[in-house]
Amino acid sequence: MATHILDITAEHCPMTFVKTKIKLAQIAKGDTLEVLLKEGEPLNNVPKSAQEQGFDVLGTEQVEGDTWRVTIRK
């Protein structure tokens, strides 16, 4: 199992989840994806949308300032 990283800190909704979903489609089942994003809409929407799509959201943690890491398992 591998861990992949996706930095979408420069993106805005709805592109934040679109890019996350594309990356999740590219990784193997069981792998994890660490998504770096900004607080606010992306932090609210990406984990919620990932769960709605059937992925496991393993955690959310603040990295620095308004940047957060959301860990998702495919």
Side-chain angles (χ1 to χ4, degrees):
M1 289 187 219
T3 299
H4 306 268
I5 298 173
L6 176 64
D7 184 346
I8 55 171
T9 54
E11 301 296 333
H12 302 283
C13 291
M15 290 308 295
T16 52
F17 188 65
V18 170
K19 291 199 174 199
T20 301
K21 191 172 177 183
I22 290 169
K23 186 67 176 178
L24 283 165
Q26 296 171 345
I27 69 175
K29 185 169 174 62
D31 283 3
T32 56
L33 177 62
E34 292 183 357
V35 183
L36 298 173
L37 45 73
K38 294 294 184 183
E39 63 188 3
E41 253 189 301
L43 182 58
N44 293 334
N45 293 341
V46 169
K48 184 178 83 161
S49 296
Q51 283 182 320
E52 288 171 356
Q53 296 279 321
F55 300 105
D56 295 324
V57 177
L58 303 178
T60 303
E61 63 180 317
Q62 189 169 12
V63 178
E64 182 181 339
D66 64 348
T67 302
W68 290 72
R69 177 186 299 117
V70 176
T71 305
I72 303 167
R73 181 171 43 231
K74 180 171 182 178

